[in-house]
């Protein structure tokens, strides 16, 4: 956990043994090992979100997105780009602090950033996060547009059509 993060609020923090047990039991929609840490999305959390009628927005890396696309063909992927290398470096320092252990982690993240950014072509949408308010507005526009896709409104549209046919 980063300073201020709590188990069950930002994430669920599992030890390696528990993570592996859940992985073997198929509890993750996607998972990956990244920078010496294990990350994954629990199927139960996505199901819980959907059961409440909400969209599930996952913040995952390129490995996770590739795995997700393999198991969930309806997933809509959005690649969020930093506006520059300098801005990414600054954001990492602000987020994680500047202690020596974190600086080594930043260097590792920046080293793979080029490879990760090259993956943007495999995503449905791209947002350049130069301004948080604008980036959030763009994400909301994507969510609204995707909710209106014909395939997602099929049942609703068919019900309306049936009502019109029934009244004719």
């Amino acid at each position: 956990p980063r300073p201020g993060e709590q188990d069950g609020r930002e994430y669920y923090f599992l030890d390696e043994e528990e993570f592996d047990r859940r992985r073997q039991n198929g509890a993750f929609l996607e998972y990956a090992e990244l920078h010496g840490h294990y990350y994954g999305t629990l199927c139960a959390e996505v199901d819980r979100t959907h059961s409440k009628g909400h969209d599930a927005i996952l913040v995952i890396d390129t490995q996770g997105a590739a795995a997700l696309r393999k198991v969930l063909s309806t997933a809509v992927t959005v690649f969020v780009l930093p506006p520059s290398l300098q801005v990414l470096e600054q954001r990492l320092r602000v987020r994680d602090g500047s202690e020596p252990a974190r600086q080594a982690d930043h260097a590792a993240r920046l080293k793979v950033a080029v490879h990760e950014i090259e993956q943007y072509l495999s995503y449905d949408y791209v947002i350049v996060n130069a301004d948080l308010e604008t980036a959030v507005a763009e994400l909301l526009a994507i969510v609204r547009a995707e909710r209106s896709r014909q395939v997602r409104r099929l049942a609703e549209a068919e019900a309306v059509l049936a009502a019109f046919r029934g009244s004719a």
Side-chain angles (χ1 to χ4, degrees):
R2 292 184 187 98
E5 291 181 340
Q6 294 178 4
D7 185 43
R9 190 178 69 189
E10 286 82 13
Y11 303 99
Y12 294 103
F13 298 102
L14 308 174
D15 62 32
E16 200 170 321
E17 184 178 304
E18 177 64 14
F19 188 96
D20 194 49
R21 184 186 69 74
R22 290 188 189 196
R23 182 190 57 78
Q24 289 179 17
N25 290 333
F28 293 103
L29 186 59
E30 60 79 30
Y31 61 88
E33 189 256 330
L34 187 67
H35 308 295
H37 302 284
Y38 292 92
Y39 299 89
T41 302
L42 291 166
C43 296
E45 287 300 306
V46 173
D47 291 344
R48 184 178 63 81
T49 300
H50 286 161
S51 73
K52 292 179 178 180
H54 300 295
D55 297 308
I57 297 178
L58 311 180
V59 179
I60 55 180
D61 75 323
T62 56
Q63 288 180 68
L68 181 66
R69 281 190 291 274
K70 288 179 183 175
V71 298
L72 191 61
S73 63
T74 59
V76 176
T77 57
V78 180
F79 195 99
V80 180
L81 281 169
S84 69
L85 174 62
Q86 294 77 19
V87 169
L88 178 59
E89 289 175 321
Q90 177 189 8
R91 288 176 180 172
L92 287 171
R93 277 194 302 275
V94 168
R95 182 187 76 181
D96 294 337
S98 58
E99 59 196 64
R102 294 292 189 182
Q103 288 178 358
D105 191 39
H106 296 168
R109 288 177 187 271
L110 292 171
K111 194 172 185 179
V112 299
V114 171
H115 171 71
E116 290 180 344
I117 290 172
E118 287 171 343
Q119 305 305 308
Y120 85 91
L121 290 170
S122 62
Y123 286 69
D124 299 309
Y125 298 92
V126 176
I127 294 174
V128 178
N129 184 11
D131 171 71
L132 182 60
E133 189 174 312
T134 301
V136 169
E138 289 180 13
L139 181 60
L140 287 172
I142 291 167
V143 169
R144 287 183 182 117
E146 286 295 325
R147 285 179 182 167
S148 298
R149 282 195 177 270
Q150 179 257 22
V151 69
R152 288 184 173 79
R153 293 275 173 94
L154 192 59
E156 190 178 359
E158 286 297 318
V160 170
L161 180 58
F164 273 78
R165 285 182 176 149
S167 69

